[in-house]
Amino acid sequence: MKRTTGIVCLAAFFCLFLFGCEQEEKRDPPDEPYETPQQEETEGKGQEKEEAPALTSIPTGEERMDYLLNHSEEERAAYQEQLYALLDQCTAQQICDGLKGELETWSAGVETAVFTQAEADCSQDPLLMWSGGDKRQYRNITATIRLFYDPSAVQGEEKQTMESLLEEAQQTIRQSPYGLKLVSAELIFVDKETGYPGYSIGQVSVGVPGKNDPSPPISPEEQRLQTLAYEKIAAFCRQEFAGARFEGLPYANMTLSRFGAAEGSQTLECEARIEEAGDEDSQLFAQKLEELARQLADEWREDGEALKALGVTQGRVSFDLRYSPDSPLVYEFALGAA
């Protein structure tokens, strides 16, 4: 009897133990990561993608650099894309005026010299091609910028002061949004008393055209004719300039350097640049170039729709032989009625 009573007590104790464990599990679930509402809100904000501000006008150089230095790569790219679109709407004169305005603002803040006037002249070549591919060159404006200074108001040793200011002015041009359209620039400090260019930088560092630059907008018809010319010239280059001598060059020896019809012109221009002479006799090579020009004209004529859309009736194919005094070789062809 005592043995039976002991067994019953033991069973009851075991049931109570299991019940207690089950209740404990219900009160204390397995450990899991826990985030407070404040943490969730903070992380959500961190994951939001900040969009570039909508640009309705071209920013100053200071505004542009401030944005680029304080935003992510994606945000900078979106910002630059908007800026390129605004610059596409500018004429060469507007680019000049923008650069002039930036330099006038800079010179007004200079304390070691007095600048009395700013001038900027620009020329644009919208037919300029990028040497690395089938697209027009975005940087296609050449500028000459003159700042007139009062030599009697220069503080310190003049040469040292003015050369230091030249570097500052060059930096202003580099940072200016308008500088994105420059392929080259010359900066000159002119003595206002004599009109003599006292200090200058003949080639302002404005960057070089690259693969990430956008392509200036052109019509689909013009693009078709351009692509045809690019591919024909690239194929000719590969055929005529093969071998170890040319494979070692850091550039293609023959490139399409200019293409298109200038505004208001009925002539389709195509210019190829050849940097170094090949191994062939010059007269024989000239005959090959003439045949290439004829082939280009024949294939353009087959795209009458494009010629009509562009309003061109003539074709001019020229070869800029950088190594030869006989340069350029020019061939002209009738392409049909506009």
Side-chain angles (χ1 to χ4, degrees):
M1 184 68 180
K2 291 182 178 179
R3 182 179 180 185
T4 302
T5 302
I7 292 173
V8 171
C9 291
L10 182 60
F13 178 80
F14 185 72
C15 290
L16 289 173
F17 176 78
L18 290 177
F19 179 77
C21 289
E22 183 179 353
Q23 291 297 100
E24 189 69 22
E25 286 180 351
K26 289 181 179 178
R27 286 195 300 269
D28 299 316
D31 291 339
E32 293 179 358
Y34 180 73
E35 295 177 349
T36 65
Q38 184 176 3
Q39 286 176 321
E40 292 176 350
E41 183 180 352
T42 302
E43 290 191 7
K45 286 183 179 178
Q47 292 172 357
E48 290 178 2
K49 181 179 178 182
E50 183 178 347
E51 296 183 357
L55 289 179
T56 57
S57 61
I58 297 175
T60 65
E62 185 176 351
E63 291 169 340
R64 172 178 173 248
M65 294 308 297
D66 180 67
Y67 187 90
L68 296 180
L69 290 172
N70 292 286
H71 289 79
S72 69
E73 183 177 350
E74 289 183 357
E75 291 163 349
R76 292 197 300 269
Y79 182 85
Q80 289 285 83
E81 186 175 351
Q82 293 185 75
L83 181 53
Y84 285 134
L86 290 173
L87 291 172
D88 280 338
Q89 302 171 28
C90 293
T91 64
Q93 186 58 52
Q94 288 171 326
I95 296 295
C96 260
D97 292 342
L99 284 170
K100 177 183 172 184
E102 291 265 27
L103 286 166
E104 286 175 335
T105 300
W106 167 80
S107 62
V110 171
E111 298 180 352
T112 54
V114 174
F115 291 92
T116 60
Q117 183 183 351
E119 294 180 351
D121 298 319
C122 292
S123 61
Q124 186 173 30
D125 185 358
L127 307 187
L128 201 61
M129 293 287 296
W130 179 54
S131 61
D134 178 19
K135 70 176 184 179
R136 301 283 172 87
Q137 188 162 294
Y138 194 78
R139 295 178 180 271
N140 56 23
I141 291 179
T142 299
T144 300
I145 302 163
R146 290 175 292 274
L147 295 179
F148 293 80
Y149 71 98
D150 182 353
S152 65
V154 177
Q155 298 180 20
E157 197 275 321
E158 181 177 306
K159 185 175 186 294
Q160 182 177 354
T161 298
M162 299 311 289
E163 287 183 348
S164 175
L165 291 176
L166 267 180
E167 288 299 320
E168 288 187 26
Q170 178 179 217
Q171 184 71 2
T172 298
I173 295 171
R174 281 201 301 259
Q175 294 179 352
S176 169
Y178 301 99
L180 293 172
K181 288 292 293 181
L182 297 181
V183 65
S184 67
E186 182 180 16
L187 175 64
I188 306 169
F189 286 174
V190 181
D191 184 326
K192 80 177 187 68
E193 301 295 339
T194 64
Y196 181 77
Y199 306 91
S200 67
I201 298 179
Q203 188 66 37
V204 175
S205 175
V206 292
V208 296
K211 65 179 181 180
N212 293 326
D213 287 352
S215 178
I218 61 175
S219 68
E221 294 83 6
E222 195 166 6
Q223 182 67 59
R224 287 204 305 269
L225 299 179
Q226 176 181 292
T227 297
L228 190 154
Y230 174 79
E231 291 178 348
K232 292 281 289 186
I233 288 171
F236 185 91
C237 177
R238 289 191 297 269
Q239 177 180 329
E240 294 296 322
F241 301 105
R245 174 187 165 197
F246 297 104
E247 288 174 359
L249 294 178
Y251 50 82
N253 195 50
M254 180 178 182
T255 55
L256 179 60
S257 55
R258 296 182 73 252
F259 188 88
E263 185 176 358
S265 173
Q266 291 186 313
T267 300
L268 182 65
E269 297 185 46
C270 175
E271 179 182 302
R273 176 179 296 177
I274 304 174
E275 300 289 345
E276 298 185 22
D279 298 326
E280 284 185 313
D281 172 81
S282 59
Q283 186 173 357
L284 177 60
F285 185 62
Q287 292 173 359
K288 287 187 175 183
L289 292 177
E290 183 176 6
E291 178 57 27
L292 172 61
R294 291 186 184 280
Q295 291 176 11
L296 285 169
D298 290 341
E299 296 195 34
W300 290 333
R301 291 190 191 100
E302 293 178 5
D303 195 343
E305 179 185 348
L307 297 178
K308 184 176 180 180
L310 296 177
V312 297
T313 60
Q314 299 290 319
R316 179 184 298 121
V317 181
S318 57
F319 298 99
D320 179 6
L321 310 177
R322 308 290 284 181
Y323 58 87
S324 172
D326 298 328
S327 179
L329 300 177
V330 181
Y331 306 95
E332 298 192 3
F333 306 91
L335 298 179

